Amino acid sequence: MTPAGVPADAPVGALEVVRAGALSTVQDLGRPGHAHLGVPRSGALDQPAHGLANRLLGNPEGAATLETTLTGCAVRSHLPTVAVVTGAPCPVTLDGRPAPWGEPLRLPAGSVLEAGAATYGLRTYVGFAGGVDTAPVLGSRATDLLSGLGPAPLRDGDRLSFGTRRRRDPLATSPIPSPCPAPPRELVLPVVPGPRADWFTPAGWRTLRTGDYRVSPAGNRVGLRLEGPTLERAYDGELPSEGMALGAVQVPPAGLPVVFLADHPVTGGYPVIGVVPEEALPAAAQAVPGTPVRFVPAD
């Protein structure tokens, strides 16, 4: 037994999904380096929040957590363990009683931990000592909604297992890391000119940098869709399919920009007017529909 009272080799099914919520998936650092196979990186959209959960628990940085969307989730642990909730702030309960957000919690066997609906922000992360253990695919346990790799999105009644625990009690030795940034009230995205910026008129580029945009409810893990002014193009028609990068600002025929997130396609034929640097994307992952968005030139 570990000091936290958790067996080093927990059996499959030690974690039961009581309420899956709107969209809850298993996520880790993703599977970079496989674009040539048609596989995006995937992984946690808010990497700092995911990483904070693992640091608080003393897990390796690659341990998997549960990423929930807007409505949270509830799980029952059939073994004693330690858990933590990070990311979008939300009410946390343990067996129906209020529990702290952002602090490791000791879960007795049979207890139910619930991360409620986000009070602001979009994605909450639930981590467990040892991480969530599923069969890795191309070196990752992440759910990829575009390619279908990794475990399916969680459903009520699903059973998961824990990974191997470190031989220490996270509650006794966890450092106090820097807190995660708060979800944005306004999303400011730095952007550099993309490979097809010349497909847009100077007025189109000016519109991107000065237009009042807002987050569309049609977005998902593939991309952040925006509502607002359309971008004027210099050329008609479409491009042959070409490689797409994380953070690419692609412009479909309707003229509204889409910022590609972790489950983005690795190729596409719509022109890319700009690219948002990766370090700005965690804030995009927490921007709820209706959030104002501004593009600014990257330093």
Side-chain angles (χ1 to χ4, degrees):
M1 304 288 280
T2 68
V6 184
D9 298 308
V12 173
L15 192 66
E16 176 187 356
V17 178
V18 175
R19 182 179 66 82
L23 176 64
S24 297
T25 58
V26 176
Q27 297 297 339
D28 55 17
L29 298 180
R31 44 183 71 85
H34 298 289
H36 64 294
L37 301 177
V39 176
R41 189 187 75 179
S42 192
L45 290 190
D46 187 342
Q47 293 274 354
H50 163 84
L52 175 60
N54 280 327
R55 290 198 303 277
L56 285 169
L57 295 167
N59 288 339
E61 64 176 2
T65 63
L66 300 182
E67 178 186 276
T68 78
T69 308
L70 194 59
T71 62
C73 70
V75 293
R76 176 180 286 108
S77 178
H78 291 281
L79 290 173
T81 189
V82 178
V84 70
V85 179
T86 64
C90 67
V92 179
T93 62
L94 182 60
D95 285 335
R97 295 184 294 274
W101 173 91
E103 297 181 19
L105 305 167
R106 198 179 300 279
L107 273 59
S111 61
V112 174
L113 173 68
E114 181 161 20
T119 53
Y120 65 99
L122 192 61
R123 293 178 170 92
T124 294
Y125 293 82
V126 186
F128 302 89
V132 177
D133 190 19
T134 64
V137 179
L138 295 177
S140 171
R141 294 178 170 84
T143 299
D144 178 354
L145 298 182
L146 187 67
S147 71
L149 297 180
L154 299 186
R155 298 171 299 179
D156 294 357
D158 280 354
R159 303 290 286 265
L160 301 167
S161 59
F162 298 125
T164 301
R165 278 72 173 168
R166 291 184 173 181
R167 300 273 175 184
R168 70 173 180 80
D169 186 345
L171 287 172
T173 59
S174 288
I176 301 176
S178 299
C180 280
R185 303 295 189 181
E186 178 188 46
L187 180 61
V188 179
L189 295 177
V191 62
V192 297
R196 301 298 176 181
D198 60 344
W199 273 57
F200 298 85
T201 65
W205 180 248
R206 186 165 55 251
T207 298
L208 180 70
R209 291 183 298 168
T210 62
D212 292 326
Y213 290 96
R214 58 192 175 276
V215 175
S216 165
N220 53 26
R221 282 184 49 86
V222 173
L224 185 77
R225 294 185 177 272
L226 302 180
E227 299 172 342
T230 59
L231 303 181
E232 183 180 70
R233 285 176 50 164
Y235 301 102
D236 295 325
E238 302 305 336
L239 293 157
S241 189
E242 58 187 2
M244 291 289 144
L246 180 68
V249 183
Q250 191 187 62
V251 185
L256 290 172
V258 178
V259 182
F260 277 163
L261 302 179
D263 285 1
H264 70 88
V266 298
T267 61
Y270 300 141
V272 173
I273 189 173
V275 179
V276 175
E278 184 175 345
E279 58 268 23
L281 296 179
Q286 295 292 3
V288 299
T291 300
V293 180
R294 287 191 296 116
F295 290 95
V296 298
D299 293 335

